[in-house]
């Protein structure tokens, strides 16, 4: 009879983060963060636990909080059990969340790991001595921080702009997890349904491809005509915006922009349409505007973050996760695949190491809000591929 060990989902995830496990083993010897505190504001879920424990293995003190509405209680519990300071818990209240971010900055971290620019932007309100720099995870954060380079003036490496993050996470993994989340949350069919994807950047390409793979008819709306042409040549229909909206059974926004879908679109929407946002901020679909519109007679809240707006003319509009990122919502949210996050978080660990050890460009402006250095991308790609072919060639 064999021993049976009961383990958690977080244990499963950590076991599968092969790159982070290898970096952890190395960091235990090299200790690049000894004496340094890292402040983090990133989705707290199972994969992030693996990242934060890797940084801890490198000697870092950590002060961590999540992003708005994506903090998972089991991740917080696991981190606290490991002695890591976690500020706050799950919240949809942006005021409460701002308080958590303020507490992270009050610890005056030497390095910041940011997601969406929340920490770096607030740092500028109350700057302190000693911030070395850090990393920013997303497109949305880069867009926010770029105009502030003149004030930030320290190395901030943008993980999103690594080609590895672009294709491994944004394209392949966001596409898969958007489809997985749609099926898990709604249990509705995709076959033969008309799905409209707003935004055909890296994430939108993956979302469109995955829904097409699930036998949906997919149309793409993008404000950039060159990108629309790309979608057309990739075989998607690219009708004018309002026609795409009016014909959709499902609309997914993934643009990084605000007010992509608003109450002004209500007259166009089909009965039974599902609206979902996979972009970082819950501002792509104006959920409050839709809910409070004159056309809405009543609302029906279901379990699992499903809200139906019943319009005065009898049409129903279903909103997933009230416009928050739906691939981190609903029952048992899994987020992006472990391997994609292992790649992205290995980039995080190596970039934070580079800033901590001052091995990025010495000119602070030359390394402020810039992509991951190419040698880090190459090293991570080699490590991942080496793991796939561990046998030496004969
Ligand atoms: N859900 C997740 O797990 C996840 C993961 C990574 C990134 N993101 C987020 O997804 C969003 C998109 O990221 P990306 O890397 O694809 O960005 P991107 O910049 O590569 O692409 C965005 C696309 O949207 C288009 N666009 C902008 N405004 C538009 C509008 N009003 N209507 C239609 N199209 C519009 C742009 O022209 C561009 O082609 C960002 O907010 C990013 O932070 C989410």
């Amino acid at each position: 009879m064999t021993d049976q060990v009961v383990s958690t989902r977080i244990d499963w995830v950590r076991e599968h983060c092969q790159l982070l496990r290898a970096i952890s083993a190395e960091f235990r010897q090299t200790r690049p963060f000894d004496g340094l505190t890292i402040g983090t504001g990133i989705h707290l879920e199972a994969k992030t636990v693996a990242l934060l424990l890797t940084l801890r293995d490198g000697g870092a003190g950590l002060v961590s909080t999540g992003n708005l509405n994506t903090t998972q209680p089991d991740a917080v519990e696991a981190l606290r059990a490991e002695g890591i300071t976690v500020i706050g818990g799950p919240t949809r209240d942006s005021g409460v969340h701002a308080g958590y971010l303020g507490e992270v900055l009050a610890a005056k971290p030497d390095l910041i790991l940011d997601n969406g620019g929340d920490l770096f932007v607030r740092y500028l309100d109350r700057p302190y001595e000693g911030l070395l720099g850090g990393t920013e995870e997303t497109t949305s954060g880069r867009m926010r921080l770029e105009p502030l380079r003149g004030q930030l003036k320290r190395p901030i490496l943008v993980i999103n702009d690594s080609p590895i993050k672009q294709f491994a996470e944004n394209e392949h993994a966001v596409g898969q997890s958007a489809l997985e989340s749609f099926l898990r949350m709604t249990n509705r069919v995709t076959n033969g349904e008309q799905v409209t994807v707003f935004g055909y950047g890296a994430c939108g390409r993956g979302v469109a491809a995955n829904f097409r793979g699930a036998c949906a008819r997919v149309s793409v709306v993008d404000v950039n005509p060159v990108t629309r042409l790309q979608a057309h040549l990739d075989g998607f229909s690219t009708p004018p915006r309002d026609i795409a909206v009016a014909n959709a059974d499902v609309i997914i926004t993934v643009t990084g922009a605000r007010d992509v879908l608003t109450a002004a679109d209500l007259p166009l929407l089909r009965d039974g349409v599902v609206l979902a946002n996979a972009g970082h901020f819950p501002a792509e679909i104006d959920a409050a505007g839709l809910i409070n519109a004159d056309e809405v007679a009543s609302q029906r809240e279901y379990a699992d973050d499903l809200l139906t707006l019943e319009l005065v003319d009898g049409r129903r509009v279903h909103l997933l996760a009230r416009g928050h990122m739906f691939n981190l919502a609903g029952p048992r949210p899994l987020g992006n695949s472990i391997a994609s996050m292992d790649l992205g978080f290995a980039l995080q660990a190596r970039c934070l190491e580079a800033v901590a050890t001052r091995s990025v460009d010495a000119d602070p402006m030359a390394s402020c809000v810039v992509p991951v250095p190419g040698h880090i991308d190459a090293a991570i790609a080699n490590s991942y591929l080496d793991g796939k072919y561990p046998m030496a060639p004969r």
Side-chain angles (χ1 to χ4, degrees):
M1 178 123 157
T2 54
D3 286 346
Q4 203 172 4
V5 180
V6 177
S7 294
T8 63
R9 185 166 68 87
I10 290 178
D11 296 326
W12 169 269
V13 169
R14 286 180 68 193
E15 194 61 34
H16 284 75
C17 283
Q18 299 202 9
L19 297 174
L20 285 176
R21 279 158 56 95
I23 294 172
S24 272
E26 180 194 310
F27 277 3
R28 279 187 220 110
Q29 307 300 318
T30 56
R31 307 280 294 181
F33 306 115
D34 256 348
L36 300 178
T37 300
I38 306 179
T40 79
I42 190 163
H43 310 298
L44 290 179
E45 49 107 35
K47 276 90 82 180
T48 333
V49 174
L51 169 62
L52 298 187
L53 294 179
T54 298
L55 301 177
R56 196 267 316 266
D57 286 343
L62 286 154
V63 188
S64 301
T65 196
N67 286 148
L68 195 60
N69 192 36
T70 57
T71 298
Q72 296 183 10
D74 60 345
V76 175
E77 208 176 292
L79 288 167
R80 288 189 177 141
E82 292 278 351
I84 287 174
T85 304
V86 182
I87 311 284
T91 180
R92 266 191 181 167
D93 184 320
S94 50
V96 171
H97 179 58
Y100 297 158
L101 295 166
E103 281 188 60
V104 170
L105 291 170
K108 301 191 174 163
D110 305 284
L111 293 157
I112 286 177
L113 187 171
D114 212 352
N115 192 28
D118 285 343
L119 286 169
F120 279 115
V121 166
R122 283 175 175 78
Y123 160 79
L124 290 178
D125 293 338
R126 285 198 189 170
Y128 53 83
E129 288 293 310
L131 179 67
L132 298 172
T135 54
E136 163 54 46
E137 174 79 2
T138 64
T139 321
S140 295
R142 192 239 297 125
M143 292 189 321
R144 230 172 144 192
L145 298 182
E146 249 165 6
L148 303 172
R149 292 178 78 235
Q151 291 157 263
L152 288 162
K153 286 192 282 200
R154 44 187 41 81
I156 299 174
L157 305 181
V158 182
I159 307 302
N160 184 74
D161 295 344
S162 154
I164 295 178
K165 167 87 159 62
Q166 290 285 320
F167 57 70
E169 184 189 331
N170 294 12
E171 184 162 347
H172 293 302
V174 173
Q176 281 180 342
S177 76
L179 176 63
E180 183 273 330
S181 300
F182 176 84
L183 296 172
R184 175 171 41 82
M185 290 179 79
T186 67
N187 205 202
R188 281 179 36 149
V189 69
T190 53
N191 306 60
E193 295 286 276
Q194 180 67 55
V195 175
T196 295
V197 178
F198 272 79
Y200 198 67
C203 295
R205 287 198 298 278
V207 172
N210 274 272
F211 276 83
R212 174 161 66 185
C215 301
R217 294 171 296 129
V218 180
S219 63
V220 167
V221 178
D222 197 296
V223 288
N224 183 338
V226 176
T227 310
R228 267 202 317 277
L229 173 63
Q230 184 183 5
H232 172 80
L233 295 181
D234 287 344
F236 297 103
S237 61
T238 53
R241 178 201 184 278
D242 285 2
I243 293 176
V245 170
N247 286 299
D249 301 303
V250 179
I251 302 180
I252 299 172
T253 57
V254 61
T255 67
R258 299 186 69 84
D259 293 337
V260 177
L261 271 184
T262 68
D265 293 309
L266 279 170
L268 293 174
L269 296 174
R270 252 187 192 174
D271 178 32
V273 67
V274 174
L275 309 182
N277 169 47
H280 184 78
F281 289 111
E284 302 209 9
I285 299 176
D286 177 14
L290 287 167
I291 291 166
N292 297 315
D294 290 343
E295 291 97 324
V296 176
S298 60
Q299 13 172 328
R300 188 181 287 261
E301 179 105 48
Y302 296 88
D304 303 334
D305 246 347
L306 302 170
L307 177 72
T308 297
L309 305 179
E310 295 166 331
L311 307 193
V312 285
D313 62 8
R315 284 176 299 143
R316 291 152 305 157
V317 174
H318 309 294
L319 181 60
L320 303 194
R322 289 183 179 250
H324 287 257
M325 259 191 293
F326 79 110
N327 64 332
L328 286 169
R332 202 167 177 268
L334 296 174
N336 297 326
S337 64
I338 300 172
S340 72
M341 298 309 291
D342 191 29
L343 279 162
F345 285 170
L347 293 169
Q348 277 281 9
R350 289 298 187 203
C351 286
L352 286 164
E353 177 191 31
V355 178
T357 55
R358 281 88 161 162
S359 49
V360 284
D361 197 313
D363 171 4
M365 284 311 288
S367 54
C368 184
V369 194
V370 296
V372 172
H375 70 272
I376 294 184
D377 282 323
I380 302 285
N382 275 325
S383 306
Y384 189 91
L385 292 171
D386 287 350
K388 296 289 163 208
Y389 301 100
M391 304 274 287
R394 292 197 188 130

